Amino acid sequence: MIEFDSQKQQFHLYNDQISYVMEVLPGGYLVHVYSGKRIRRFAQSQPYPHDGRSSFSPNVPDKRLQGFTLDLWPQEYPGDGAGDYRETAFEFTYADGTNATTLTYDHHEIVAGKPRLTGLPATYVEDDSEAQTLNITLKDALRHVAVVLSYTIYADRNVVTRTARVENEGDTLIRLNKVMSGCFDFTDSDYDMIQLPGAWANEKQLRRDHLAAGIHVLDSKRGASSVAQQPFIALCSPNTDEFQGEVHAFHFVYSGNFRIAAEVDAFDQTRVLAGINPYEFEWQLEPGTSFQAPELVYVYSDKGLNGMSNTFHHLYRERLAHGQYRDAQRPILANNWETTYFNFNEDKLVDLIDNAHKLGVELFVLDDGWFKKRNSDTTSLGDWQVDRDKLPQGLAGVAKAAVDRGMQFGLWFEPEMISEDSDLFRAHPDWHVHVAGYPSSRGRNQLVLDFSRPEVREEIFRQMAAILDELPITYVKWDFNRNLTEVASVGRAAAHQKETAHRYILGLYDFLEKLTARYPQILFENCSGGAGRFDPAMCYYMPQSWASDNTDAIARLKIQYGTSLLYPASMICAHVSESPNQQVGRITDLSTRFATAASGNLGIMLDLGQKDRTDLPEVAAGIKFYKAHRQLIQFGDFYRLLSPYETNDCAWMFVSPDRKDALLFFFQILNSASRPHVKLRLCGLDPAATYEIDGQQLPGDELMNYGLFIDAGINHDFQARVLTLHQVN
Ligand code: DGJ
């Protein structure tokens, strides 16, 4: 899968689907040649402009390489201050205060499998035969600095992962101002750029624009990957749609500040760079030490956006998530948040548990408000001891009510936060992220604990462990409801202050590593005021994430459609909530709310104790339906068929790995009189098979090529239709 042609000094990483080619040019410059659909080999000499087109593209100092300019060549890890004026992959400052650095090839090694990254989550292999890794060491001998670029190609996935490690080989400090994880140079620029910007309760809104000249930056400076952007960008050919066309996608496996830049230069070439945001970042690299950048995942698809998503879904479900829940069906949960908020007592919860159990719910989750004096969001974060006023028998009483009924019990925490009104704050008024002597901004009335400090992490771990060790808890919802401000750590030397944001994330990963190792029986759900930190790094620790605080079935169509670009249904948690919806006031049918929520990892957030409810039989039927199809939804292949961003409808489907079963979801947004019929062409079926669908037996090829009219019985706003397909021969 990885070949080195020593004559041509060419690396070729390939599998049946993709190729990635690089060359070492005379002078040791490592240039990018090709990434995309599999080619047998790359034979041409490269057509890039050798002779600097003008003196404004400087030539390299080595006079033997007359005319060679870094400013025009596609590169693998472009340097700083030495003739390439495009976006740089790195910026280092040396003891003399200068920056100029040119990295050239020193040596390489090819290893079986995929080595783990120390301290950072990443995709992995279970067996060395699944992938090969190429480590190329580049050096600037004058600066005594080395960068090891690592490339892993999977044997049977359209994926190359990249990372970079910087090593200080000298005897003076190097200040790292920027260390990107990967650079991808393309010799053309006719691309559409896809991104997933968002806001609270409006996450992952798909946006597609033609890539114009200049530098386009997607980033986060919030100390978290953030609600505002996903650390993701895709470049696709303008004719690419869900079903066909080329896509190059990049997803950064990191939960903190990131920066992804796409630059189109004057010669219509495109550079994509992704890594930790250099904003408020500087790392002091002592002699003899190294700095490891997080992983960047590159996915290539020549089967449109569905092809891209399919690759991400399989990779993340099979080789990013880990632990005993990775391959396990996820329980249907009931959560009390939208029903009670902070206002509950044991009777109310037991009533909810009892009703949930009767409907077939498998896990009860007690959300925010169970600890200390937490009757509003102004207090008690950091004091993870049960509120005996609300729950006189402690958590044990509620847990027992669930366990006695054969249900599981789960609990909400927000471990990284502290309220000023808390015992923890009174004891440690300097444990939050802040600039000493400078006022702190608040978000949701709270401050952020300084997880870059081990003693802070240890105290929170101790408090959590006291609960998790005692109670039969099989699920934890880990929330994070604000972003970082005034980023500094008390006691950290001035020269190291700009390491704080990254050290915070390393501290978080260290905590999660220990927590998930100590409690393998617990299913962790990642949450951040909705999806404010729903990124691949968090998916490594927590196999499922809360997709949005917006539980409206129609608003969720766009949110879940956008989320599905990268994440499989098993990672996307979705709940059936009350109508009118509490976030947007929309009134929707229960069947529509079920259809949206059942397109992910199903939960219930209904006030089941209400005495006058007439919809409980329908809720029970929805749960029963989900149980019957859960394996297909959570572990099948997912195809988007109709986009709510482009049409008044939305449709998607799930197909089982053996193609024997499928589930089709159609949603009409607004109804109109005399609207044309909607015909859907299905995907992923066996063309030679016949499927039982909607009382008919229809051939797979007909369903995929002619399609199926789907709008029978659709006659009002916000309506859904769900059809099952089962192979009959
Ligand atoms: C934000 C979460 O997204 C909600 O689901 C809920 O857990 C609240 N926090 C609780 O404060």
Side-chain angles (χ1 to χ4, degrees):
M1 290 186 299
I2 300 180
E3 282 171 5
F4 179 61
D5 179 336
S6 56
Q7 232 181 354
K8 297 182 75 175
Q9 295 284 292
Q10 189 185 78
F11 296 99
H12 188 183
L13 290 70
Y14 63 88
N15 58 28
D16 286 347
Q17 308 297 326
I18 58 172
S19 283
Y20 190 105
V21 183
M22 302 172 262
E23 260 175 36
V24 182
L25 297 184
Y29 301 103
L30 182 66
V31 298
H32 184 70
V33 176
Y34 173 77
S35 50
K37 195 173 170 70
R38 168 73 201 273
I39 53 174
R40 277 172 296 144
R41 63 198 168 88
F42 189 89
Q44 304 171 43
S45 45
Q46 300 191 54
Y48 307 120
H50 270 258
D51 301 306
R53 292 190 179 170
S54 78
S55 56
F56 295 113
S57 285
N59 304 128
V60 295
D62 187 341
K63 293 213 172 88
R64 288 168 302 173
L65 302 172
Q66 191 60 39
F68 179 75
T69 174
L70 292 170
D71 201 27
L72 302 175
W73 278 75
Q75 294 181 63
E76 285 299 318
Y77 209 64
D80 180 20
D84 183 343
Y85 294 111
R86 293 168 290 179
E87 285 278 295
T88 55
F90 62 89
E91 287 167 26
F92 304 155
T93 307
Y94 303 95
D96 62 1
T98 65
N99 287 67
T101 310
T102 306
L103 296 168
T104 53
Y105 173 84
D106 188 77
H107 65 278
H108 75 269
E109 57 167 355
I110 297 168
V111 297
K114 184 174 194 291
R116 297 246 171 189
L117 297 186
T118 316
L120 288 165
T123 58
Y124 59 90
V125 293
E126 285 196 329
D127 188 286
D128 279 353
S129 64
E130 290 176 28
Q132 266 187 345
T133 298
L134 167 65
N135 298 317
I136 305 178
T137 301
L138 307 175
K139 289 192 179 182
D140 184 329
L142 294 172
R143 298 299 201 172
H144 305 290
V145 68
V147 174
V148 183
L149 300 180
S150 297
Y151 302 78
T152 296
I153 183 159
Y154 280 88
D156 55 6
R157 302 175 195 270
N158 294 11
V159 176
V160 172
T161 64
R162 285 192 59 173
T163 183
R165 192 176 72 245
V166 187
E167 295 174 348
N168 184 345
E169 297 188 329
D171 49 20
T172 55
L173 181 88
I174 303 175
R175 286 171 13 227
L176 309 182
N177 309 102
K178 181 182 190 184
V179 185
M180 292 287 106
S181 291
C183 170
F184 287 77
D185 274 354
F186 298 90
T187 49
D188 46 14
S189 67
D190 188 17
Y191 293 110
D192 283 357
M193 176 174 116
I194 293 179
Q195 54 171 308
L196 293 169
W200 173 77
N202 196 30
E203 293 89 343
K204 298 189 186 61
Q205 299 291 302
L206 195 160
R207 232 200 114 108
R208 178 172 179 161
D209 303 279
H210 193 64
L211 189 61
I215 301 170
H216 310 273
V217 175
L218 314 179
D219 82 345
S220 168
K221 304 184 187 77
R222 295 167 172 271
S225 50
S226 98
V227 74
Q229 272 294 351
Q230 180 64 196
F232 157 78
I233 191 175
L235 301 184
C236 61
S237 315
N239 69 349
T240 293
D241 59 23
E242 289 287 10
F243 311 101
Q244 58 82 39
E246 281 200 299
V247 190
H248 302 273
F250 309 89
H251 205 187
F252 187 40
V253 188
Y254 188 61
S255 310
N257 295 337
F258 71 87
R259 186 174 196 273
I260 300 179
E263 176 173 10
V264 176
D265 70 14
F267 299 97
D268 286 341
Q269 306 190 102
T270 306
R271 168 168 292 174
V272 174
L273 272 162
I276 293 176
N277 200 333
Y279 168 81
E280 290 192 348
F281 171 83
E282 184 177 277
W283 196 268
Q284 309 292 308
L285 195 67
E286 303 287 345
T289 65
S290 65
F291 177 85
Q292 176 65 60
E295 174 165 285
L296 177 63
V297 174
Y298 164 70
V299 165
Y300 169 78
S301 163
D302 64 343
K303 297 186 177 57
L305 293 167
N306 271 318
M308 171 195 81
S309 300
N310 192 268
T311 300
F312 275 120
H313 292 181
H314 279 275
L315 178 70
Y316 289 175
R317 205 165 56 202
E318 295 155 12
R319 293 295 179 263
L320 177 64
H322 69 293
Q324 73 180 43
Y325 287 94
R326 186 188 74 179
D327 305 323
Q329 287 189 0
R330 308 297 161 73
I332 299 171
L333 63 83
N335 175 303
N336 68 309
W337 180 241
E338 284 196 14
T339 306
T340 66
Y341 293 102
F342 297 104
N343 182 20
F344 57 82
N345 55 32
E346 190 172 310
D347 286 349
K348 231 187 208 178
L349 297 180
V350 173
D351 194 39
L352 212 48
I353 290 170
D354 196 42
N355 286 308
H357 170 247
K358 286 181 189 143
L359 295 168
V361 170
E362 297 154 326
L363 159 70
F364 176 73
V365 177
L366 176 53
D367 210 283
D368 195 356
W370 57 265
F371 49 96
K372 228 26 189 283
K373 299 275 173 245
R374 180 80 169 170
N375 294 315
S376 74
D377 62 16
T378 59
T379 176
S380 302
L381 293 166
D383 294 347
W384 300 104
Q385 297 99 36
V386 71
D387 177 353
R388 294 260 167 196
D389 291 339
K390 272 186 201 165
L391 304 173
Q393 299 190 70
L395 289 166
V398 192
K400 185 169 181 310
V403 172
D404 282 353
R405 289 165 177 79
M407 287 169 76
Q408 301 174 47
F409 178 60
L411 199 58
W412 178 96
F413 287 92
E414 195 175 6
E416 298 156 81
M417 297 293 162
I418 183 164
S419 305
E420 284 155 279
D421 180 12
S422 67
D423 292 345
L424 191 69
F425 189 82
R426 285 182 278 275
H428 301 285
D430 67 349
W431 269 19
H432 57 294
V433 173
H434 72 291
V435 176
Y438 194 83
S440 289
S441 306
R442 283 154 192 95
R444 206 195 190 201
N445 305 304
Q446 63 204 45
L447 303 170
V448 184
L449 276 172
D450 185 355
F451 260 44
S452 70
R453 291 168 66 176
E455 68 276 26
V456 174
R457 301 199 298 271
E458 276 157 24
E459 169 57 18
I460 298 300
F461 197 96
R462 189 191 63 73
Q463 289 194 35
M464 286 183 79
I467 291 168
L468 300 178
D469 286 346
E470 279 305 305
L471 291 156
I473 290 177
T474 56
Y475 164 106
V476 163
K477 179 175 173 185
W478 179 297
D479 209 344
F480 176 82
N481 280 297
R482 62 157 291 186
N483 291 144
L484 276 59
T485 51
E486 296 90 26
V487 178
S489 183
V490 169
R492 182 159 295 140
H496 291 275
Q497 280 295 357
K498 286 193 171 173
E499 296 172 4
T500 301
H502 182 53
R503 287 194 183 277
Y504 180 97
I505 295 295
L506 294 178
L508 170 65
Y509 293 156
D510 174 68
F511 193 111
L512 293 175
E513 195 71 51
K514 290 181 179 138
L515 190 70
T516 51
R518 175 153 162 178
Y519 301 102
Q521 81 283 8
I522 292 181
L523 169 61
F524 288 91
E525 180 166 323
N526 169 42
C527 173
S528 171
R533 202 170 54 187
F534 188 167
D535 58 58
M538 293 306 281
C539 296
Y540 171 84
Y541 299 106
M542 309 197 194
Q544 60 188 52
S545 293
W546 180 224
S548 179
D549 272 357
N550 191 338
T551 57
D552 172 62
I554 299 304
R556 274 281 185 141
L557 294 178
K558 281 190 174 174
I559 294 169
Q560 290 178 206
Y561 194 97
T563 308
S564 78
L565 247 61
L566 300 166
Y567 301 99
S570 62
M571 288 183 167
I572 302 172
C573 295
H575 293 176
V576 176
S577 64
E578 295 293 352
S579 173
N581 175 267
Q582 295 184 16
Q583 291 78 41
V584 301
R586 197 178 343 254
I587 295 172
T588 52
D589 296 349
L590 184 62
S591 56
T592 306
R593 283 175 274 148
F594 253 105
T596 306
S599 298
N601 210 331
L602 179 70
I604 305 290
M605 207 139 56
L606 294 168
D607 187 358
L608 300 172
Q610 264 177 33
K611 295 297 166 229
D612 51 353
R613 285 202 93 100
T614 53
D615 57 1
L616 293 182
E618 205 186 330
V619 175
I623 289 172
K624 194 170 167 209
F625 179 87
Y626 189 78
K627 281 182 184 166
H629 300 283
R630 162 165 52 187
Q631 181 68 25
L632 168 57
I633 293 166
Q634 295 180 356
F635 299 97
D637 284 327
F638 178 80
Y639 298 91
R640 291 175 299 271
L641 304 179
L642 271 183
S643 168
Y645 292 93
E646 292 165 11
T647 69
N648 181 44
D649 304 307
C650 176
W652 48 57
M653 66 184 290
F654 298 87
V655 182
S656 63
D658 62 7
R659 299 192 290 179
K660 287 203 157 72
D661 289 286
L663 257 185
L664 176 61
F665 290 77
F666 171 75
F667 304 86
Q668 168 175 271
I669 300 176
L670 292 180
N671 195 28
S672 62
S674 306
R675 78 163 291 199
H677 287 301
V678 184
K679 191 168 64 146
L680 287 178
R681 288 169 69 168
L682 309 196
C683 278
L685 303 175
D686 179 350
T690 300
Y691 291 87
E692 174 90 35
I693 174 169
D694 203 19
Q696 305 177 73
Q697 296 205 340
L698 300 175
D701 52 357
E702 180 185 318
L703 286 165
M704 292 195 289
N705 293 298
Y706 173 79
L708 180 79
F709 285 101
I710 186 73
D711 50 344
I714 297 279
N715 53 20
H716 59 271
D717 292 348
F718 316 133
Q719 212 178 340
R721 196 157 179 236
V722 181
L723 294 179
T724 55
L725 287 91
H726 180 67
Q727 203 172 303
V728 286
N729 70 10

